[in-house]
Amino acid sequence: MRFFGFGNNTTGCLVPGVEAVIAPTQLALSEGVERVVFHSWACTVAVAADGVLTAWGVQPLVDAINGARLSGVRHVIGLDTPLAFLLADGHVFRLASAGSKSGSAGPEVSNSAWDDVGVLDNGICLALRAGHGVVRFPSLSDLMHDLHAEPIPHPLLRAAVQIHTTESRALLATPGHTFELVFAFRDVHAGSAPSAARASLRLVEELEGMGAVRVRAGTGNRFAAVGESGQAWVLGKEVEAVDLVADEGDIDVALVGTGADFAVAVADTGLWVRGSNEFGQLGSDARGTAWRRLPFFDALDIVDVHCGRWSTIVSVR
């Protein structure tokens, strides 16, 4: 596996020594690194086949992660910084220096196992246990110790739900429907914690009838969604279709990633980009608002993309 990055690099989240990576540049990672599991403006985390983590970016954040060995990392919990890791057995692993309030100098493992976990910037934590539904916790610390759980009642949230969270938004994707969990933060009384906000479910009607939709959280309170038929959308303040057009006609989309002000789409024809290019987010010196193909990746087999707030890492086989 090889990894290429481009965009803002002020913190060294891509490569050392430069503030911006304008053109796609291969990352010099240790032999055996299997996949990138987290990328943000602050740092990047990759895992090797033997479970050893490699992290680079802001110090001392990455020092707490480098060299740790975890078995079966499913995904990293956190938006700009890695707060914890959801493991293959469903338990949540948290390094003490990543915000532990237990008073212990060592790492923490959650009391319970979960099928999916997500956390918002304000601390609210969502967790799924298949067959039982989705619950919310005031904080990740509460989840770790099974405290103050509040069920989110809905019959469709008891099975194969995927939780996707950004700064202050959460999407709950089921095989046939996608819901947004809407928090009434404006109704929270002065002095109360954000976790006191009431929550309600809103059906994302724009994605209805699209079958099983794959959702991916981005930054800037934006999500990306890809339907079974190759249609794709960016869900920000509005829902925008990802329309890739080449000489041969419309193009089916396989994967989309979103940063704060740009988006990246993967199709059979290669990698496409759109949005702001202030920090090289588009992998070239291009300007304009239309989707454009990045020729650098035309002959490469793209496996995955990870978009940070102003940068992207592309994994190729």
Side-chain angles (χ1 to χ4, degrees):
M1 195 72 71
R2 292 181 293 161
F3 307 92
F4 296 86
F6 51 90
N8 183 278
N9 189 54
T10 304
T11 62
C13 62
L14 297 173
V15 297
V18 294
E19 290 195 355
V21 179
I22 304 302
T25 300
Q26 185 167 353
L27 310 186
L29 301 184
S30 303
E31 186 176 352
V33 169
E34 192 173 62
R35 59 193 175 102
V36 168
V37 292
F38 180 84
H39 176 60
S40 74
W41 69 266
C43 72
T44 302
V45 181
V47 62
D50 59 2
V52 174
L53 302 178
T54 300
W56 59 100
V58 172
Q59 302 282 357
L61 173 64
V62 298
D63 291 337
I65 302 170
N66 259 317
R69 186 188 299 268
L70 298 179
S71 176
V73 175
R74 286 166 57 181
H75 71 80
V76 177
I77 300 166
L79 182 64
D80 285 330
T81 60
L83 302 177
F85 300 82
L86 181 62
L87 304 181
D89 65 2
H91 285 89
V92 176
F93 177 89
R94 182 169 67 166
L95 298 168
S97 59
S100 172
K101 299 178 182 178
S102 66
S104 169
E108 285 185 288
V109 178
S110 62
N111 291 343
S112 299
W114 302 92
D115 291 289
D116 202 3
V117 175
V119 65
L120 282 71
D121 264 3
N122 57 27
I124 294 175
C125 190
L126 304 173
L128 164 74
R129 185 176 291 127
H132 297 273
V134 177
V135 297
R136 68 184 266 194
F137 293 89
S139 69
L140 183 58
S141 291
D142 290 304
L143 175 139
M144 299 296 290
H145 303 287
D146 294 335
L147 300 174
H148 310 117
E150 179 185 342
I152 298 174
H154 195 287
L156 293 179
L157 300 183
R158 291 187 172 274
V161 180
Q162 292 181 337
I163 298 172
H164 307 277
T165 55
T166 59
E167 290 89 344
S168 60
R169 298 178 66 189
L171 292 188
L172 306 176
T174 73
H177 308 279
T178 301
F179 298 91
E180 179 166 4
L181 190 60
V182 181
F183 296 94
F185 294 118
R186 293 181 179 178
D187 297 337
V188 176
H189 298 296
S192 299
S195 57
R198 292 181 293 106
S200 59
L201 286 174
R202 179 185 70 84
L203 183 68
V204 183
E205 296 182 358
E206 293 87 346
L207 302 184
E208 283 294 283
M210 299 300 172
V213 175
R214 290 174 290 125
V215 177
R216 175 168 287 199
T219 59
N221 271 329
R222 304 204 304 165
F223 302 87
V226 179
E228 293 178 338
S229 62
Q231 295 175 288
W233 305 265
V234 172
L235 291 74
K237 293 181 179 179
E238 300 178 352
V239 178
E240 302 178 24
V242 177
D243 295 321
L244 308 183
V245 181
D247 293 341
E248 59 271 26
D250 293 343
I251 299 169
D252 290 344
V253 179
L255 178 65
V256 177
T258 54
D261 52 11
F262 73 100
V264 174
V266 178
D268 289 341
T269 54
L271 189 100
W272 295 67
V273 293
R274 179 190 179 190
S276 171
N277 201 25
E278 182 178 358
F279 306 110
Q281 298 99 306
L282 305 187
S284 70
D285 57 1
R287 291 289 187 273
T289 59
W291 283 96
R292 65 186 68 226
R293 197 179 81 256
L294 199 55
F296 179 91
F297 292 98
D298 284 357
L300 299 178
D301 182 10
I302 301 172
V303 176
D304 204 355
V305 295
H306 286 80
C307 291
R309 199 166 289 277
W310 304 289
S311 56
T312 297
I313 292 180
V314 182
S315 306
V316 303
R317 187 180 290 113

